[in-house]
Amino acid sequence: MIVVRNEDEINKLREAGKVVGLCHKYIQQFIKPGISTKELDRLAKKFIESKGCTCSFEGLYGFPGSICISVNNEVVHGIPSHRKLRNGDIVKLDIGACYQGYHGDSAWSYIVGEGKPRDIKLLERTEESLMAGLAAIHDGCTTGDIGHAVEKVAHKYNLGVVKELVGHGVGDKVHLEPDVPNYGHEHKGPVLHTGNVIAVEPMLNLGTADIYMLDDDWTICTDDDENSAHFEHTVLVTDNGYEILTRRDVELDPEDIVKE
Ligand code: MG
Ligand code: MG
């Protein structure tokens, strides 16, 4: 069953999503060569908790971090570590926050320092695929409509679409029904209605779509070790479209802005 959220739930989901958007904006200031992924994790946790939220992924299914941080050929579910970011790395931050029992979930990919043109394009194109997927959303659309729109952009640029990992419903748990694959056929799959909340999250690879899991039992990598990008928003389905709950155009409090 895909839950239709009431106004009270939607307001809590909006607040959780806002904190996720703010956290991305906050953390972005620290993404520079030399910082460790563990330090980014620590800063994100501190920020999320300062906003009256908890980290959705901390301990989820036993995950040993507060947010997921994946670098270059790592697709998703990277564990924060002492690994230091280097100039030209692609770092993916997947951030979840829980406000009064309701979650927001958004992943974004960033270039550390100066990126290679092919990596910059990979990021632009994966974000384009996310926005194309979102554009397919309205009352009465199907998950296949969304997946088809994402896949169309990926195919246009000859990028590999990771199929084993998918978007999902979001609410009083971070992962709920339905699955929202990044591939599919128009008019197929579960129908979405006004009041449903889902995360759409394309993971696109420069090379093969195939993936494997590292021995840490968490980190998913591309089979050919080529780079991968991940972009995700949590959205509310509305009568005519969608509302992004994890918006990125949110304003940080002046006290949250780190001075050089
Ligand atoms: Mg996520
Ligand atoms: Mg997600």
Side-chain angles (χ1 to χ4, degrees):
M1 188 185 65
I2 310 172
V3 182
V4 172
R5 300 293 166 185
N6 63 38
E7 203 53 38
D8 176 57
E9 291 179 298
I10 289 168
N11 284 332
K12 288 173 180 165
L13 288 157
R14 279 196 184 107
E15 185 58 30
K18 184 180 165 193
V19 170
V20 171
L22 283 169
C23 187
H24 270 288
K25 198 161 182 179
Y26 174 73
I27 287 295
Q28 226 175 322
Q29 311 169 84
F30 300 97
I31 300 175
K32 288 176 185 162
I35 194 162
S36 72
T37 57
K38 212 179 181 77
E39 179 62 3
L40 292 178
D41 185 70
R42 187 188 71 79
L43 290 163
K45 176 180 165 73
K46 201 174 146 198
F47 181 85
I48 287 168
E49 291 179 351
S50 79
K51 299 295 175 196
C53 293
T54 55
C55 299
S56 302
F57 305 139
E58 194 174 284
L60 184 68
Y61 319 121
F63 182 71
S66 300
I67 64 171
C68 299
I69 308 183
S70 313
V71 183
N72 297 335
N73 63 316
E74 298 170 354
V75 180
V76 286
H77 303 163
I79 301 172
S81 73
H82 295 294
R83 176 180 189 162
K84 287 187 175 158
L85 297 179
R86 294 187 302 188
N87 190 50
D89 279 345
I90 298 175
V91 63
K92 287 141 273 186
L93 305 185
D94 196 348
I95 300 176
C98 180
Y99 176 75
Q100 293 186 5
Y102 289 83
H103 297 268
D105 182 10
S106 172
W108 217 256
S109 303
Y110 304 91
I111 299 273
V112 182
E114 280 172 52
K116 296 187 195 80
R118 64 200 288 266
D119 291 333
I120 294 167
K121 275 197 194 120
L122 171 67
L123 266 55
E124 286 170 357
R125 291 165 174 180
T126 307
E127 184 178 352
E128 182 183 330
S129 78
L130 168 63
M131 297 321 289
L134 297 185
I137 298 175
H138 56 81
D139 182 55
C141 79
T142 68
T143 56
D145 294 337
I146 301 169
H148 177 77
V150 169
E151 194 178 29
K152 218 169 128 181
V153 174
H155 285 172
K156 180 169 79 175
Y157 297 123
N158 202 22
L159 298 169
V161 180
V162 175
K163 293 208 163 60
E164 292 86 342
L165 298 148
V166 295
H168 49 91
V170 180
D172 51 343
K173 292 200 175 73
V174 70
H175 295 138
L176 290 169
E177 286 179 55
D179 282 354
V180 184
N182 296 305
Y183 57 93
H185 298 285
E186 288 174 295
H187 314 305
K188 300 285 184 193
V191 179
L192 299 173
H193 292 292
T194 297
N196 290 155
V197 175
I198 58 166
V200 180
E201 49 178 314
M203 288 147 262
L204 303 186
N205 303 341
L206 278 177
T208 179
D210 298 337
I211 54 171
Y212 71 98
M213 192 188 281
L214 288 185
D215 289 342
D216 65 13
D217 282 342
W218 279 105
T219 314
I220 305 289
C221 294
T222 57
D223 250 1
D224 57 6
D225 286 330
E226 273 285 11
N227 285 343
S228 180
H230 184 202
F231 286 80
E232 173 185 33
H233 270 312
T234 299
V235 301
L236 169 70
V237 180
T238 64
D239 291 349
N240 301 314
Y242 60 94
E243 175 187 330
I244 296 178
L245 301 180
T246 46
R247 287 169 46 182
R248 303 181 58 80
D249 57 349
V250 280
E251 290 298 325
L252 280 171
D253 288 340
E255 66 205 52
D256 291 328
I257 296 165
V258 175
K259 304 278 185 307
E260 287 294 328

